Amino acid sequence: MDTVINGYRRRWWKEAVVYQVYPRAFYDSNGDGIGDLEGLRLKLPYIKGLGVDVIWLSPHFDSPNADNGYDIRDYRKVMAEFGTMDDFDAVLTEAHALGLRLIIDLVVNHTSDEHAWFTESRSSQTNEKRDYYIWRPGNDGPPNDWTSIFGGSAWTLDAATGDYYLHLFDPKQPDLNWENPKVRAQVYALMRFWLDKGVDGFRMDVIPFISKDQEFSDLPAEHAARPQFVYANGPRVHEFLQEMRSEALAPYDTMTVGEAFGITPQQVPNFVDERHGELDMVFQFGAVEVDRGADGRWVPWKLADLKAVFSRQEKQLDRHCWPTVFFSNHDNPRIVSRYGDDGPEWRVKSAKTMAALLLTMKGTPFIYQGDELGMTNFPFSDISQFNDIWARNAYRDEVESGRYSVADFLMNQNHLSRDHARTPMQWTSGTNAGFTTGTPWLSVNPNYREINAEDVGDGSIYAWYADLIHLRRSHPALVYGDYLDLMPDHPRLFAYRRTTEAEDFLILLNFGPDEQTFQFPMNFPPGDIVLGNYPAPANGSEPLRGWEARIYRL
Ligand code: TEU
Ligand code: CA
């Protein structure tokens, strides 16, 4: 077997397709309304049926759930609502038996304020754990003007000692002090705990935030609206990640993917260049930000901007770096509602077109649960329908402050809410979409009678994902091939090639209901269509029909 293809060193995680599970919303096995690990175990064959290689499990640790598990109280315990450590072990064993690897979510920029380290840390100025977190005296108010990503000041005054602690997210998510070598040693130990159990790696939550500039200067005006660009990429972040590699990851065969929140495309190679020994891959935010304005609120998006993300990635990452591709996750709306057309006429076709983009692009693709069914956004009409801490804080900041009307708030959330992705998986057309026999913790999308996993046969979106994954696996060019955008400015047609010396693929995707013609150059006749979401046209150069996706082998 070649060890290098098209200049890239072969790695299992470069060839893998990943499926993300948000356990709370996946499948409830015991009727308490909350998805759980036994539910995941029961549905492993469903995941395997897609042909994916890896499951990324969103946090399953003990947590008071201020941010649905992204606030961890005990890194070595399973969240009681999700089950027990035995349930976790059963998921891991059965996943491995099915040939699926499992990566877990490492949330170590912050803990829960209910973590024992923080309880001790806040108890006095002199206790042994004081320096596990970031405490500063106030000066007639917070130590600086940093704001939380979830709104409000990033500092909270703690009555016990009269000092402020830093939380770049919610007050219930205090930031760990990575300057303290004992904190780092604790993190590496908990990583080894899970690696020794057999997990295959980590998705790392907001990992670029772990190193803070110790000056703690006020935000420069140009970053006030998007402070993540100040919080990320601190002075010691690369030192810490290299230390993490040697102290925790090195002896194991893992895959790591960091959430590069606040990292510019120019900074990405420093995190993922394989010669540096830091992360294998990161999630860049380009493809989920084309519809966000400078203030983070929703704006209409353009296909040319989405295309530009991938051309930039191809230019900026050399053969020592490896990209990821994703259009959704637990923090984002549904793909088909955001970039496709979720109305009855085009939902299936456009969900398939987006899947074709995801699975023929260069980079390890991440599928988010439910997208393989074409699940759609939820029609929110009232603040009471939201569970997400970001939405609830935004309501306070935007509406209660009088800056925006309720209608503006709902418009924005109906486009961008994180809860769109968190409504329960739609398994059946029965009560509660077959997710639970109890009362679901978050409302099921009312369209579950039409959209559910009862239909995974021929012609379904699920079957199309499986076909695409099979095609990708069969052709190295779809993994390692060069990427070339043939029409960067066309507003509706996305046309690109994936090529190695041995293979040449042309992908044509129509992003809209109207016919589009692709002008095949003379020296470039249409080859065979190897996969398409319509019956094959009589002639490969015929115009593309509404939301048609065609993959040609030239
Ligand atoms: O996300 C980082 C993050 O800041 C995004 O949630 C972003 O703010 C959001 O998409 C709104 O635009 C990670 C996790 O993925 C997220 O679920 C957590 O809430 C957050 O970190 C804190 O742990
Ligand atoms: Ca349950």
Side-chain angles (χ1 to χ4, degrees):
M1 185 161 74
D2 299 342
T3 52
V4 174
I5 297 181
N6 197 28
Y8 290 97
R9 288 172 63 187
R10 289 190 72 176
R11 287 279 175 271
W12 63 262
W13 43 263
K14 294 181 184 174
E15 297 174 17
V17 176
V18 185
Y19 184 87
Q20 183 190 354
V21 170
Y22 193 70
R24 198 172 191 79
F26 197 59
Y27 184 53
D28 174 22
S29 71
N30 64 353
D32 67 355
I34 297 172
D36 47 51
L37 289 168
E38 174 62 5
L40 168 57
R41 192 187 66 79
L42 293 168
K43 296 295 186 186
L44 286 172
Y46 168 89
I47 297 174
K48 177 70 187 174
L50 281 167
V52 303
D53 308 275
V54 179
I55 294 173
W56 152 26
L57 181 60
S58 273
H60 64 283
F61 314 92
D62 175 47
S63 164
N65 285 307
D67 188 16
N68 284 348
Y70 284 92
D71 50 320
I72 298 174
R73 185 163 51 200
D74 187 336
Y75 290 99
R76 287 179 172 76
K77 246 166 105 177
V78 169
M79 192 186 302
E81 293 161 323
F82 291 173
T84 63
M85 192 62 91
D86 286 346
D87 294 326
F88 179 86
D89 292 340
V91 167
L92 185 60
T93 308
E94 258 180 64
H96 283 168
L98 287 168
L100 291 165
R101 303 195 206 225
L102 182 72
I103 68 170
I104 60 173
D105 219 308
L106 186 72
V107 189
V108 288
N109 171 70
H110 45 268
T111 69
S112 164
D113 66 338
E114 298 180 30
H115 194 293
W117 298 337
F118 191 73
T119 327
E120 190 177 337
S121 184
R122 82 188 327 177
S123 66
S124 73
Q125 273 162 342
T126 53
N127 74 80
E128 203 229 324
K129 297 275 188 318
R130 185 63 165 181
D131 207 24
Y132 268 48
Y133 294 86
I134 300 166
W135 294 97
R136 291 289 183 278
N139 55 41
D140 275 341
N144 68 19
D145 68 357
W146 287 15
T147 51
S148 153
I149 300 297
F150 291 157
S153 173
W155 298 93
T156 289
L157 178 64
D158 197 46
T161 58
D163 286 343
Y164 286 79
Y165 67 90
L166 181 72
H167 52 86
L168 297 180
F169 293 89
D170 193 72
K172 283 193 67 66
Q173 295 168 296
D175 280 53
L176 283 165
N177 176 21
W178 277 68
E179 299 293 313
N180 182 349
K182 289 188 190 148
V183 166
R184 305 204 300 273
Q186 293 271 18
V187 169
Y188 309 146
L190 78 88
M191 289 172 74
R192 289 191 301 263
F193 171 84
W194 290 98
L195 289 165
D196 287 338
K197 272 190 171 293
V199 306
D200 300 288
F202 300 96
R203 175 267 185 183
M204 300 187 189
D205 194 61
V206 289
I207 200 72
F209 283 20
I210 56 179
S211 163
K212 273 83 178 171
D213 188 335
Q214 297 297 301
E215 301 281 318
F216 290 101
S217 319
D218 280 346
L219 294 173
E222 74 266 27
H223 289 313
R226 317 202 75 192
Q228 61 265 35
F229 293 104
V230 175
Y231 305 156
N233 206 35
R236 298 181 70 188
V237 69
H238 297 296
E239 175 196 337
F240 295 161
L241 288 173
Q242 285 165 23
E243 184 183 75
M244 176 189 280
R245 168 75 52 184
S246 58
E247 295 297 309
L249 297 164
Y252 305 87
D253 177 21
T254 57
M255 142 177 174
T256 58
V257 52
E259 187 195 25
F261 193 49
I263 295 300
T264 64
Q266 292 76 10
Q267 292 165 342
V268 165
N270 288 332
F271 287 84
V272 298
D273 187 312
E274 61 193 0
R275 294 165 301 187
H276 299 184
E278 295 185 23
L279 301 172
D280 294 329
M281 300 172 272
V282 296
F283 294 125
Q284 293 190 250
F285 280 63
V288 292
E289 289 197 329
V290 291
D291 60 353
R292 286 174 202 253
D295 58 359
R297 291 173 66 85
W298 182 80
V299 292
W301 67 284
K302 292 194 208 67
L303 183 60
D305 293 340
L306 188 62
K307 294 175 181 179
V309 169
F310 300 105
S311 295
R312 193 172 61 207
Q313 187 157 284
E314 180 75 358
K315 232 186 282 152
Q316 249 145 15
L317 299 184
D318 67 14
R319 296 294 194 260
H320 299 288
C321 302
W322 188 251
T324 59
V325 201
F326 73 102
F327 298 108
S328 60
N329 59 24
H330 65 293
D331 292 333
N332 280 282
R334 287 289 174 183
I335 293 187
V336 68
S337 303
R338 189 181 211 172
Y339 299 120
D341 179 337
D342 64 8
E345 192 177 356
W346 298 111
R347 183 184 66 85
V348 173
K349 283 275 185 301
S350 66
K352 289 180 176 179
T353 298
M354 284 305 301
L357 178 61
L358 177 67
L359 292 160
T360 60
M361 185 51 66
K362 186 190 287 184
T364 297
F366 287 73
I367 300 168
Y368 181 70
Q369 68 181 39
D371 283 340
E372 75 282 9
L373 301 174
M375 280 178 61
T376 68
N377 282 354
F378 186 93
F380 292 106
S381 56
D382 191 89
I383 175 67
S384 65
Q385 294 167 319
F386 294 94
N387 165 274
D388 180 23
I389 193 167
W390 175 58
R392 287 185 279 117
N393 287 355
Y395 187 81
R396 185 192 63 205
D397 292 347
E398 297 174 5
V399 180
E400 290 176 4
S401 70
R403 278 197 297 145
Y404 293 96
S405 66
V406 173
D408 281 342
F409 168 83
L410 284 173
M411 184 283 292
N412 193 50
Q413 291 288 333
N414 267 318
H415 282 292
L416 296 179
S417 173
R418 309 198 304 177
D419 279 335
H420 289 306
R422 301 176 182 184
T423 64
M425 267 292 276
Q426 292 164 211
W427 294 106
T428 71
S429 57
T431 314
N432 295 321
F435 163 73
T436 180
T437 55
T439 306
W441 66 279
L442 187 64
S443 297
V444 174
N445 194 308
N447 62 22
Y448 70 91
R449 284 192 190 79
E450 295 81 51
I451 303 173
N452 59 62
E454 275 168 11
D455 177 21
V456 294
D458 280 356
S460 68
I461 301 171
Y462 177 100
W464 171 255
Y465 269 79
D467 288 347
L468 285 162
I469 291 170
H470 179 76
L471 187 73
R472 184 181 178 93
R473 191 177 313 294
S474 316
H475 298 285
L478 293 175
V479 176
Y480 295 107
D482 291 343
Y483 168 75
L484 180 66
D485 184 348
L486 302 173
M487 305 176 103
D489 301 318
H490 196 291
R492 288 285 170 227
L493 206 53
F494 202 158
Y496 53 94
R497 282 169 90 172
R498 297 294 317 278
T499 48
T500 59
E501 262 181 25
E503 294 178 312
D504 193 350
F505 286 87
L506 166 69
I507 293 99
L508 297 183
L509 309 172
N510 181 1
F511 273 70
D514 301 329
E515 276 197 358
Q516 300 292 342
T517 303
F518 178 77
Q519 295 296 346
F520 283 88
M522 294 289 280
N523 60 347
F524 185 54
D528 294 333
I529 298 178
V530 290
L531 201 58
N533 64 351
Y534 273 87
N539 166 339
S541 53
E542 275 182 21
L544 281 93
R545 293 153 279 189
W547 288 103
E548 183 162 2
R550 279 186 207 158
I551 301 171
Y552 298 79
R553 173 125 195 228
L554 301 178

